[in-house]
Amino acid sequence: LLDVATKFLDPYAMEADQKTKNHLYGLVANVHKIVTDCTSEYFQRYRKSVYCTPKSYLGFIDLYRDIYAEKLESIHLLADKINGGLKKLQQAGEDVRMMKIELGQKEIKLQEASKETDVLLVEITDSTAKAQKKQAEVAAVKDVLQNEAMIVSKGKKEAEEDLKAAQPALEDAKNALDAIT
């Protein structure tokens, strides 16, 4: 049995070292022997004959190779998926590293812009304070001029009233002067 397993499984490509393959050949032969031993127990218990022939042994070896091929293919598919996922993770890590570099550069620009903004804010605050001071001075001058305009207007009004009051006397004096001359 061991020689048959070796003959049929040795040329088959398996991803294992020779020591593991030798253990596998022994396991296949041992499983066939156990199945053969169980047929007599099966006959005694159920009174039905089951035969374990060399053809069933070869079928067992073929079935093992088919299942091995399916499982190996599914393992390769999973490995490909895992490797693809790892590549994506590595790419994402690289992208994150590049984004961190860009973020660092943008933070430097942001700090420079913040400093410029602070300088402009100070200048604007100073200009606003100067403008408010100038506005207060202009308002004070305006108030003074309004007061003076009111005084002048009041003086003009009094002068006009005095003129109106003196006008008849002036007319009389003029007429008297004309009468004298």
Side-chain angles (χ1 to χ4, degrees):
L1 292 176
L2 186 60
D3 289 339
V4 171
T6 303
K7 182 178 187 230
F8 281 94
L9 290 175
D10 201 32
Y12 187 70
M14 288 191 276
E15 294 186 10
D17 59 3
Q18 193 58 43
K19 183 179 178 184
T20 305
K21 286 181 181 180
N22 290 337
H23 286 295
L24 174 68
Y25 306 151
L27 177 67
V28 169
N30 198 17
V31 167
H32 183 71
K33 184 180 176 294
I34 291 170
V35 169
T36 303
D37 293 342
C38 287
T39 58
S40 62
E41 281 182 40
Y42 188 80
F43 178 74
Q44 289 175 0
R45 185 178 287 174
Y46 298 107
R47 290 286 176 209
K48 286 190 175 188
S49 294
V50 176
Y51 300 101
C52 196
T53 64
K55 175 79 173 156
S56 61
Y57 183 56
L58 293 175
F60 171 60
I61 291 173
D62 284 340
L63 180 64
Y64 175 81
R65 290 193 325 194
D66 292 344
I67 291 173
Y68 180 83
E70 287 176 20
K71 294 296 180 180
L72 185 63
E73 184 179 338
S74 69
I75 288 171
H76 283 299
L77 277 171
L78 287 173
D80 289 344
K81 287 180 182 178
I82 289 171
N83 287 335
L86 287 174
K87 286 179 183 176
K88 286 182 181 179
L89 284 174
Q90 288 172 344
Q91 181 62 37
E94 181 66 23
D95 291 346
V96 167
R97 188 183 66 77
M98 293 303 290
M99 286 179 186
K100 283 183 180 178
I101 291 171
E102 289 176 16
L103 180 63
Q105 293 170 348
K106 288 183 180 181
E107 282 180 353
I108 291 170
K109 289 180 181 178
L110 179 64
Q111 288 173 354
E112 290 172 359
S114 178
K115 288 178 183 176
E116 290 174 8
T117 304
D118 290 343
V119 168
L120 286 174
L121 183 62
V122 168
E123 289 176 6
I124 290 171
T125 304
D126 289 344
S127 296
T128 303
K130 288 177 183 178
Q132 287 176 347
K133 184 177 179 183
K134 202 61 140 167
Q135 185 178 13
E137 289 174 7
V138 167
V141 169
K142 180 181 173 186
D143 288 344
V144 168
L145 291 177
Q146 280 181 343
N147 286 338
E148 288 178 4
M150 282 177 47
I151 292 171
V152 168
S153 172
K154 189 176 178 183
K156 179 182 175 187
K157 190 176 181 182
E158 288 175 1
E160 285 177 357
E161 286 176 6
D162 288 344
L163 181 63
K164 275 185 183 180
Q167 189 74 29
L170 180 64
E171 282 295 322
D172 288 343
K174 190 177 181 186
N175 288 337
L177 183 65
D178 284 339
I180 295 180
T181 29

